[in-house]
Amino acid sequence: MARSDEAAAFFATVYSAVREIPEGKVTSYGHIAKLIGTPQRPRQVGVCLKHLSHDAGARFNNVNVPWQRVINAKGAISQRSQPSGARNQAAALQAEGVTVATGALGELTVDFAEYGWFPRSLPSEEESELDDDDSE
C-alpha cells in the first residue's frame, strides 16, 4: 500500500504504541489514538492494524506488533471481513492468558476491569521524561 510520508509516520506511531501494551492486557482503538495525540482517530488506528504486514521481514509486522491486544471501546473484539478473524484474535489473546467470553449476541468480549491497560501516557514517554529530569 503506497502511503504519503505523513500516513507512513502515523502507521509507525500506531504500531510503536501498540508494541507497548503488556502481554495479557488489552486496550481500545480509542485509547491508542489518545495516547498518540490523535483522540479523534480511533478508526484510523483500526485501519493501521488491518493493514499490518504479514511479511516477517517488515519493520512492523503481525508478529512483532501485538495487534490482538487492541479491541473496541465496549470491550468486544471487532468483527472482521474474514469470518475467522475475530476467533483468531480471541485465540491469540487466550494464548496470553486473557479470558475471552461470549456475550448474549455471540460477540467475543474481554473484561476491561481485569485485563484493561489504560495508562495516561505511553511507558516510553514516561521513561524519556525521567531521563530529562535526571539531566537537570
Side-chain angles (χ1 to χ4, degrees):
M1 165 186 263
R3 299 185 189 130
S4 67
D5 290 343
E6 181 182 357
F10 183 77
F11 274 62
T13 300
V14 167
Y15 297 151
S16 294
V18 170
R19 283 176 143 175
E20 295 193 43
I21 305 168
E23 184 173 339
K25 295 292 184 181
V26 296
T27 197
S28 68
Y29 299 101
H31 195 70
I32 292 295
K34 179 180 175 183
L35 288 172
I36 65 171
T38 57
Q40 71 284 9
R41 297 180 75 184
R43 288 180 187 254
Q44 287 81 2
V45 169
V47 168
C48 292
L49 295 174
K50 178 181 179 180
H51 292 288
L52 190 58
S53 179
H54 292 277
D55 176 2
R59 177 178 174 207
F60 298 109
N61 60 66
N62 66 343
V63 174
N64 67 19
V65 176
W67 57 273
Q68 71 274 12
R69 297 178 189 158
V70 185
I71 61 178
N72 73 30
K74 295 178 183 176
I77 295 173
S78 297
Q79 293 299 313
R80 306 281 185 277
S81 55
Q82 54 195 330
S84 61
R87 289 262 170 231
N88 291 343
Q89 186 171 3
L93 288 170
Q94 290 167 330
E96 295 185 5
V98 175
T99 300
V100 178
T102 303
L105 300 175
E107 71 280 14
L108 300 171
T109 63
V110 175
D111 182 358
F112 277 143
E114 184 171 355
Y115 299 104
W117 183 78
F118 296 96
R120 289 181 182 216
S121 62
L122 289 166
S124 60
E125 291 175 357
E126 292 172 7
E127 290 169 12
S128 69
E129 288 173 10
L130 289 175
D131 290 344
D132 291 344
D133 290 344
D134 291 344
S135 64
E136 293 177 6

